[in-house]
């Protein structure tokens, strides 16, 4: 099933996500075509490519976020825990708890830091204050934010800096204990210091869950990821160990993109 584009040195013995012949179109326009790959568990995978190549669309398939667009039509299979998430009778809210998403722009809710973290837990019906307190502390600690906000937990999250807000949004996702955490250009709006903090956080989080990072920053992909997916115009051009892709790419398109000759 998998070509060299899907197996160029990437370990496939412990898989978090397995994609088979995935295509997606919006109306008559294909955004993804015949994607097949396997993403290792407890690892960091970067997704790179020119603007509009399908990066965000691809990860949106992993928690069926594209379903929110009525024009989206999907074919193929995506397996998580050996279950095809595009099969019949799927629990989509449960899937989106299992596969968390953090977007490019920090989007804290206009409520307190504490209530931001427990928002999803309250929706799930968890009301025990001791449980909520423990999860708030552990999630904020995992997001490297606890020491900065522990004394202002009940103040508005909108008072935090951009970097703090992004880490708060990550903590909100971590509170639901996702198996997979997807970050869509999480540092594009941040200053270099905040970017470094997020990158260090990403590296630590792989002990807890599988990380997928969409980034337009090739240096960031090279720094943080273990394997990299390169897309162009909806096609999977290459999927490889990051070090291998950035030093010995298999495909001319990959080499041209990495060296800045197009994109």
């Amino acid at each position: 099933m998998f070509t060299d584009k899907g197996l160029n040195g990437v370990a496939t013995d412990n898989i978090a996500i397995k994609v088979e012949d995935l295509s997606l179109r919006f109306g008559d326009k294909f955004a993804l075509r015949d994607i097949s790959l396997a993403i290792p568990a407890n690892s960091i995978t970067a997704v790179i490519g020119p603007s509009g190549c399908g990066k965000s669309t691809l990860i949106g398939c992993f928690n069926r976020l594209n379903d929110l667009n009525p024009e989206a039509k999907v074919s193929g299979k995506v397996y998580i825990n050996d279950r095809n998430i595009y099969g019949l009778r799927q629990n989509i809210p449960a899937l989106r708890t299992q596969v968390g998403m953090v977007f490019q722009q920090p989007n804290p809710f206009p409520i307190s830091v504490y209530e931001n973290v427990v928002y999803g837990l309250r929706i799930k019906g968890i009301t025990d204050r001791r449980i909520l307190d423990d999860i708030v502390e552990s999630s904020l600690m995992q997001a490297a934010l606890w020491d900065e906000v522990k004394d202002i937990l009940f103040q508005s999250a909108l008072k935090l800096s951009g970097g703090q807000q992004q880490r708060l949004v990550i903590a909100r996702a971590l509170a639901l204990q996702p198996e997979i955490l997807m970050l869509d250009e999480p540092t594009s709006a941040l200053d270099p210091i905040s970017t470094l903090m997020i990158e260090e956080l990403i590296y630590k989080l792989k002990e807890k869950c599988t990380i997928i990072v969409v980034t337009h920053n090739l240096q960031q992909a090279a720094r943080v990821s273990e394997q990299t997916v390169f897309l162009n115009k909806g096609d999977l051009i290459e999927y490889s160990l990051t070090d291998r892709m950035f030093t010995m790419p298999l495909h001319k398109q990959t080499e041209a993109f990495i060296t800045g000759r197009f994109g």
Side-chain angles (χ1 to χ4, degrees):
M1 178 62 67
F2 296 111
T3 67
D4 65 332
K5 290 189 287 189
L7 290 172
N8 184 20
V10 178
T12 55
D13 54 343
N14 185 17
I15 298 303
I17 303 174
K18 183 178 180 181
V19 182
E20 294 183 348
D21 302 321
L22 176 68
S23 294
L24 183 146
R25 57 186 174 87
F26 296 106
D28 296 329
K29 182 179 180 181
F30 275 92
L32 299 169
R33 278 184 296 268
D34 299 323
I35 306 292
S36 291
L37 55 81
I39 295 177
N42 294 101
S43 67
I44 305 170
T45 301
V47 184
I48 63 171
S51 296
C53 70
K55 300 186 296 293
S56 298
T57 302
L58 176 63
I59 65 170
C61 290
F62 299 158
N63 67 354
R64 294 189 56 168
L65 192 62
N66 296 310
D67 290 10
L68 300 176
N69 187 327
E71 292 191 340
K73 304 296 181 184
V74 177
S75 62
K77 298 176 181 178
V78 176
Y79 290 95
I80 297 176
N81 289 338
D82 296 322
R83 185 185 78 251
N84 177 20
I85 65 171
Y86 285 95
L88 298 175
R89 296 185 295 276
Q90 297 299 310
N91 186 331
I92 305 305
L95 171 67
R96 291 175 182 156
T97 297
Q98 180 185 9
V99 185
M101 173 77 90
V102 174
F103 296 95
Q104 178 176 357
Q105 292 291 335
N107 60 341
F109 302 135
I111 50 181
S112 71
V113 171
Y114 185 99
E115 288 300 327
N116 264 273
V117 179
V118 302
Y119 185 84
L121 300 172
R122 292 197 188 280
I123 290 176
K124 292 178 68 175
I126 299 173
T127 58
D128 188 300
R129 184 58 182 263
R130 289 174 298 178
I131 294 175
L132 296 176
D133 287 351
D134 288 345
I135 293 176
V136 166
E137 182 173 352
S138 64
S139 300
L140 289 171
M141 289 183 70
Q142 289 180 62
L145 189 58
W146 173 252
D147 288 341
E148 298 171 43
V149 301
K150 62 184 179 181
D151 295 325
I152 56 169
L153 289 176
F154 298 99
Q155 295 184 23
S156 172
L158 300 182
K159 294 182 178 180
L160 301 179
S161 70
Q164 289 174 324
Q165 288 185 8
Q166 191 66 295
R167 282 180 284 146
L168 175 62
V169 172
I170 292 172
R172 189 172 68 200
L174 292 174
L176 296 172
Q177 298 182 319
E179 295 180 22
I180 299 163
L181 182 61
M182 306 186 296
L183 302 107
D184 193 352
E185 298 192 9
T187 63
S188 64
L190 303 182
D191 61 80
I193 294 176
S194 296
T195 294
L196 178 61
M197 295 184 72
I198 296 292
E199 289 182 1
E200 291 176 344
L201 172 59
I202 288 170
Y203 191 78
K204 292 177 182 177
L205 286 177
K206 75 170 187 173
E207 299 176 4
K208 301 285 185 180
C209 55
T210 301
I211 306 291
I212 304 172
V213 183
V214 169
T215 181
H216 66 274
N217 185 324
L218 298 182
Q219 291 76 22
Q220 181 174 78
R223 284 193 300 266
V224 306
S225 69
E226 294 156 274
Q227 52 274 329
T228 297
V229 176
F230 171 50
L231 299 176
N232 189 30
K233 297 180 180 178
D235 294 318
L236 173 60
I237 306 303
E238 189 166 343
Y239 177 41
S240 175
L241 294 174
T242 298
D243 288 345
R244 183 174 299 182
M245 181 179 291
F246 279 82
T247 57
M248 295 182 295
L250 290 179
H251 298 272
K252 290 183 179 179
Q253 282 190 61
T254 312
E255 182 180 8
F257 181 72
I258 289 173
T259 56
R261 295 203 296 274
F262 88 91

